[in-house]
C-alpha cells in the first residue's frame, strides 16, 4: 500500500511540473506578442521615432505646398491626360481595324488562295476567281492636312465626299440637311471657293479646301456643273492614296438612309445606274437586226445602261486609282468630252488592239434603293406598292429643275406629304 501511495504522489508531482511548464510557455508567447521590444525596454526610441516621423511629414507637406512641386504635379497630370487621350485614340483605331478585318476576312482568304502558288482547279462548280483587289498602303505624306481631317470625320475609313462651289449653294443645303436627318456622321464637302468654306462652317458642315492651284481655282470659281464634275476625279485621288474608301456624291441627291449599310465592298467600284429596269440596269442581250445579211441578219449584243458618275463608292485599290487617273487625263485633253461618258468607257471597254483595258471589279447598285429621278417620277410614284419602298438616296439626275424636285422628295419621303410629287411631269420641259 505504502509503495502504491509513493508512486501515486510521484506521478502527481510530475503532472504539476508539466502543467507549470505549459503555462510558462503560453505566458511567454503572450508577452512576446504584446511586447516585441521587451518588457523593460526604454520608451525613448519610439518617442524619437515619432518625432522623426512627424518632422519628415512636415518636410513632405512643405515640399508638396511649394510652387515648384505643384507645377510639377500639374505637368504630370497634363502628360497623363495626353497619354490617356492617345490611348483612347489607339483603341478606337484598333476597333475600326478589327471591324474592317472582320468585314474583309472572306475576301482576304480568297486573295491568299488566288495569289498563292499555282494549283489545280477543284471540282465542277467549286472554282472561284479573285473578286476583290487588296487596298493600297496608306501614304499620309501625300496630304497631311487632309489626313488629319479624315481621321476625325471618317467612320471605318469611309466617307461621303461632295465637291462644290457657291453656284450650288441651295442644293448643297438640301443635300447636307438630308444627310444630317438620316444620321450619317461621315461626310465632307470639298469647297472650291472661300464663300463655300464660310457657308459650310456656318452650318456646322465638315469642310476642306485644297491648297492653292491656278487651274483648280479657276474651275472652282467659274466652272459649271460639268467642269466641276470633271475636277472631282483629280481631287478624289488623294483620298484613296490616304487609304480611305470614298462615296463620291453630287449635290443634287437627297439622302434617306445611311448608304454605307448597303454596300457589299466586294468590288473596286460600286455605282448607281442610269438604268430604270432590271434589263437596263443590270444588262441584257440585245439583238441587232440587219436584213441585208440574210441568214446572218441577227447579231446578238450585250448592253447595259451607263453608271452614274455622280454617285459611286470606290475602295482604295490600284485599279480605282488607275481609273481616276485615266478619266482625269482624258478630260484634260479632250475638252468637249463628258465626264460620265469617259468614266464608263474606261470602266467597261475591254482590251483590244492598241488599247489596254482597265482590270477593275465593278458592281451595279440596286436601282430601287439607289434611285435616279427617272425611276422615281416615271415609275415609282405611280405604283402603290413601290411608293411604300423607302430608297437609300434619290438622285435628281434626269431633270434640270433639281432644287424644286429635291425639296419635293424630302416632303414625300421624310415629311410624309403624299401628294408632294404629283405636280411634276415625268420628263422635263425643254
Amino acid at each position: 500500500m505504502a509503495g502504491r501511495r509513493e508512486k501515486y504522489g510521484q506521478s502527481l508531482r510530475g503532472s504539476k511540473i508539466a502543467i507549470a511548464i505549459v503555462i510558462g510557455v503560453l505566458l511567454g508567447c503572450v508577452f512576446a506578442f504584446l511586447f516585441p521590444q521587451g518588457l523593460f525596454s526604454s520608451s525613448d526610441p519610439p518617442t524619437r521615432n515619432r518625432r522623426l516621423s512627424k518632422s519628415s511629414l512636415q518636410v513632405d507637406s512643405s515640399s508638396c505646398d511649394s510652387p515648384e512641386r505643384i507645377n510639377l504635379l500639374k505637368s504630370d497630370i497634363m502628360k497623363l491626360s495626353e497619354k490617356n487621350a492617345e490611348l483612347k485614340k489607339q483603341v478606337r483605331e484598333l476597333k475600326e481595324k478589327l471591324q474592317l478585318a472582320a468585314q474583309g476576312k472572306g475576301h482576304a482568304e480568297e486573295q491568299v488562295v488566288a495569289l498563292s502558288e499555282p494549283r489545280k482547279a477543284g471540282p465542277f462548280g467549286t472554282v472561284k476567281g479573285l473578286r476583290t483587289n487588296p487596298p493600297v498602303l496608306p501614304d499620309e505624306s501625300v496630304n497631311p492636312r487632309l489626313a488629319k481631317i479624315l481621321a476625325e470625320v471618317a467612320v471605318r475609313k469611309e466617307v461621303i465626299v461632295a465637291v462644290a462651289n457657291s453656284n450650288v449653294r441651295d442644293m448643297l443645303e438640301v443635300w447636307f440637311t438630308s444627310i444630317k436627318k438620316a444620321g450619317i456622321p461621315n461626310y465632307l464637302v470639298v469647297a472650291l471657293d472661300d464663300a463655300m468654306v464660310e457657308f459650310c462652317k456656318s452650318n456646322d458642315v465638315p469642310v476642306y479646301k485644297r491648297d492653292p492651284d491656278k487651274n483648280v481655282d479657276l474651275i472652282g470659281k467659274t466652272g459649271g456643273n460639268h467642269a466641276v464634275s470633271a475636277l472631282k476625279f483629280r481631287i478624289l485621288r488623294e483620298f484613296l492614296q490616304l487609304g480611305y474608301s470614298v462615296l463620291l456624291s453630287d449635290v443634287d441627291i437627297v439622302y434617306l438612309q445611311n448608304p454605307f449599310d448597303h454596300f457589299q465592298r466586294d468590288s473596286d467600284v460600286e455605282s448607281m445606274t442610269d438604268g430604270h429596269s432590271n434589263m437596263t440596269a443590270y444588262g441584257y442581250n440585245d439583238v441587232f437586226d440587219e436584213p441585208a445579211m440574210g441568214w446572218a441578219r441577227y447579231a446578238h449584243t450585250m448592253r447595259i445602261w451607263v453608271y452614274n458618275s455622280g454617285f459611286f463608292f470606290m475602295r482604295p485599290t490600284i485599279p480605282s486609282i488607275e481609273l481616276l487617273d485615266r478619266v482625269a487625263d482624258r478630260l484634260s485633253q479632250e475638252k468637249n468630252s463628258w465626264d460620265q461618258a469617259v468614266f464608263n468607257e474606261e470602266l467597261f471597254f475591254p482590251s483590244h488592239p492598241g488599247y489596254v483595258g482597265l482590270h477593275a471589279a465593278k458592281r451595279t447598285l440596286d436601282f430601287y434603293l439607289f434611285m435616279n429621278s427617272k425611276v422615281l417620277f416615271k415609275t415609282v410614284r405611280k405604283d402603290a406598292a413601290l411608293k411604300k419602298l423607302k430608297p437609300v438616296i434619290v438622285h435628281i439626275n434626269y431633270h434640270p429643275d433639281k432644287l424644286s424636285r429635291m425639296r419635293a422628295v424630302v416632303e414625300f419621303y421624310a415629311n410624309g406629304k403624299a401628294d408632294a410629287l404629283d405636280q411634276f411631269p415625268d420628263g422635263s420641259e425643254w
Side-chain angles (χ1 to χ4, degrees):
M1 292 293 290
R4 284 197 295 271
R5 282 198 297 270
E6 184 177 351
K7 288 180 181 179
Y8 177 78
Q10 290 175 354
S11 175
L12 185 62
R13 282 195 300 274
S15 299
K16 289 180 179 180
I17 293 171
I19 291 170
I21 292 172
V22 170
I23 292 173
V25 170
L26 290 174
L27 287 174
C29 291
V30 170
F31 279 104
F33 178 80
L34 294 177
F35 303 100
Q37 297 184 10
L39 185 63
F40 303 106
S41 62
S42 173
S43 61
D44 288 340
T47 303
R48 200 161 45 246
N49 288 340
R50 285 196 296 273
R51 287 173 181 170
L52 287 172
S53 177
K54 185 175 180 181
S55 174
S56 64
L57 286 172
Q58 289 174 346
V59 171
D60 288 345
S61 176
S62 63
S63 65
C64 286
D65 292 339
S66 66
E68 293 82 3
R69 181 64 175 170
I70 292 173
N71 290 335
L72 184 61
L73 289 172
K74 286 182 178 179
S75 176
D76 290 343
I77 291 171
M78 288 180 65
K79 289 179 180 178
L80 289 172
S81 299
E82 292 174 358
K83 186 66 176 178
N84 186 41
E86 184 180 349
L87 288 172
K88 285 183 177 179
K89 182 180 178 182
Q90 291 176 354
V91 169
R92 185 170 64 252
E93 291 176 350
L94 181 59
K95 286 182 178 179
E96 290 181 359
K97 289 180 180 178
L98 288 173
Q99 289 173 340
L100 286 172
Q103 190 178 78
K105 181 181 178 182
H107 302 319
E109 290 174 350
E110 289 180 2
Q111 290 170 17
V112 170
V113 172
L115 297 175
S116 59
E117 293 185 1
R119 58 194 177 91
K120 293 182 179 180
F124 179 81
T126 65
V127 177
K128 300 291 183 183
L130 182 64
R131 293 292 192 273
T132 309
N133 286 299
V136 299
L137 185 67
D139 182 8
E140 292 193 1
S141 65
V142 170
N143 191 331
R145 185 164 64 90
L146 178 59
K148 184 178 180 180
I149 294 173
L150 290 175
E152 297 173 355
V153 173
V155 175
R156 294 191 294 274
K157 303 284 282 188
E158 298 174 343
V159 62
I160 300 173
V161 175
V163 180
N165 59 19
S166 297
N167 294 336
V168 294
R169 172 173 171 163
D170 292 337
M171 282 193 292
L172 183 75
E173 185 171 13
V174 178
W175 178 85
F176 67 66
T177 301
S178 70
I179 285 178
K180 291 180 178 181
K181 192 167 185 178
I184 306 168
N186 47 328
Y187 65 101
L188 179 69
V189 174
V190 178
L192 298 178
D193 55 51
D194 293 333
M196 179 53 65
V197 173
E198 294 304 317
F199 178 67
C200 289
K201 288 181 177 179
S202 65
N203 286 278
D204 195 26
V205 171
V207 63
Y208 161 72
K209 189 172 185 295
R210 300 174 79 247
D211 293 331
D213 183 308
K214 288 185 178 181
N215 294 327
V216 172
D217 289 345
L218 182 62
I219 296 173
K221 293 176 181 177
T222 62
N225 287 342
H226 285 302
V228 171
S229 186
L231 179 62
K232 67 195 175 192
F233 294 98
R234 291 178 56 188
I235 294 174
L236 288 185
R237 193 185 205 278
E238 290 183 345
F239 287 78
L240 300 188
Q241 284 182 279
L242 292 171
Y244 288 85
S245 294
V246 176
L247 171 54
L248 187 281
S249 172
D250 282 352
V251 298
D252 56 343
I253 294 176
V254 175
Y255 286 77
L256 301 166
Q257 299 184 56
N258 192 329
F260 295 107
D261 295 336
H262 300 270
F263 296 136
Q264 298 300 314
R265 300 171 179 82
D266 62 349
S267 305
D268 300 298
V269 179
E270 296 182 56
S271 177
M272 74 172 295
T273 174
D274 275 0
H276 58 93
S277 64
N278 285 341
M279 288 176 57
T280 58
Y282 309 137
Y284 63 102
N285 179 13
D286 184 42
V287 179
F288 177 77
D289 184 11
E290 190 176 5
M293 288 299 296
W295 175 82
R297 66 181 292 180
Y298 300 111
H300 290 260
T301 68
M302 299 306 300
R303 300 190 63 183
I304 184 172
W305 286 34
V306 296
Y307 281 0
N308 191 289
S309 63
F311 188 93
F312 57 84
F313 178 70
M314 185 173 280
R315 293 178 57 252
T317 64
I318 293 298
S320 295
I321 296 175
E322 184 182 358
L323 173 61
L324 294 178
D325 288 352
R326 286 181 176 220
V327 176
D329 181 60
R330 281 188 56 185
L331 292 174
S332 67
Q333 299 180 46
E334 304 168 11
K335 301 301 182 183
N336 296 322
S337 293
W338 181 28
D339 70 283
Q340 180 159 294
V342 175
F343 175 73
N344 280 272
E345 289 170 3
E346 293 298 333
L347 195 55
F348 284 95
F349 281 0
S351 297
H352 55 263
Y355 176 78
V356 178
L358 178 72
H359 294 265
K362 46 196 173 289
R363 169 181 282 272
T364 307
L365 296 170
D366 187 321
F367 69 92
Y368 281 128
L369 292 180
F370 297 88
M371 191 182 297
N372 61 58
S373 56
K374 180 176 182 177
V375 173
L376 175 62
F377 287 98
K378 190 177 179 182
T379 305
V380 171
R381 66 170 176 168
K382 301 175 183 178
D383 188 296
L386 292 176
K387 285 175 71 173
K388 296 178 182 179
L389 173 71
K390 185 178 182 180
V392 178
I393 61 110
V394 175
H395 190 178
I396 312 297
N397 60 318
Y398 271 99
H399 300 87
D401 49 340
K402 297 180 181 296
L403 184 58
S404 58
R405 292 193 187 235
M406 287 179 71
R407 288 171 174 167
V409 168
V410 172
E411 289 296 320
F412 181 77
Y413 284 109
N415 300 331
K417 188 177 179 182
D419 62 347
L421 305 176
D422 296 348
Q423 60 178 308
F424 300 95
D426 289 356
S428 58
E429 302 292 340
W430 286 101

